[in-house]
Amino acid sequence: MPKTDTIRVGLGISTRKEHLQAARDALGMAQMQLGSAPADLAIVVSSPEFAHSGTLNAIKNALGPTPLVGASSRAVISTHGVDKHGLAVLLVKFPEATFCHAACVQDIKNKSGMDAGEELGEKLLRGFKGFQKDFGFVLSDVPAQMNSGIIAGLKEKLGASFPLVGVNLFDHLRATGFTVYFEQYPLKDA
């Protein structure tokens, strides 16, 4: 395979009702677009009916060691439009010599935001020993007021200038969060 310095992506979307078929379709489409190279990261976004281990296990088993992150939401937004029922799989292949690591913290409501952020930062640092750290993406389903503590804890471990961006998935109208995906696990309070 030729050396490349660009990020390559493959996107697959399915609106099928049955979760295993939707997972196969979306993942197959994403893999076809990405080509023969294995993905370095999988981002899965779905409507709530796909937010269970059956969907994530099907995708994760096919991907092997590729880190998987994502979330459920009221709708899936993509180049195909907005689907209130759908599953999207985005596979990312980073340039050579680029490293990706994913980590997760659970039971955040039983910790301070700062403690949760520091724990997440420590887990991320363990996976980045000897690698340059350039960017972080955070998904959280806890009440928004906890996120400032989480970010402060991350900065404490990763450095104040470390660039972070993310999404808070908490739904104040329903007083609950949507589901965060980490590997094959659909998580709440994470």
Side-chain angles (χ1 to χ4, degrees), residues 42-132:
I43 301 172
V44 177
V45 180
S46 77
S47 50
E49 60 275 7
F50 292 110
H52 55 81
S53 59
T55 306
L56 297 176
N57 276 325
I59 296 168
K60 184 63 181 166
N61 287 339
L63 290 174
T66 300
L68 185 154
V69 297
S72 67
S73 182
R74 284 194 185 128
V76 175
I77 301 169
S78 72
T79 53
H80 297 118
V82 178
D83 291 303
K84 291 189 179 198
H85 173 89
L87 173 69
V89 176
L90 180 72
L91 298 179
V92 183
K93 178 69 179 165
F94 293 110
E96 198 170 303
T98 302
F99 181 72
C100 176
H101 179 67
C104 180
V105 174
Q106 297 180 65
D107 302 320
I108 295 173
K109 291 177 190 163
N110 294 328
K111 306 169 185 173
S112 73
M114 182 78 164
D115 288 345
E118 287 182 353
E119 181 182 338
L120 182 58
E122 287 172 12
K123 287 180 177 183
L124 287 169
L125 285 173
R126 277 186 237 134
F128 276 112
K129 287 192 189 295
F131 292 96
Q132 181 175 330

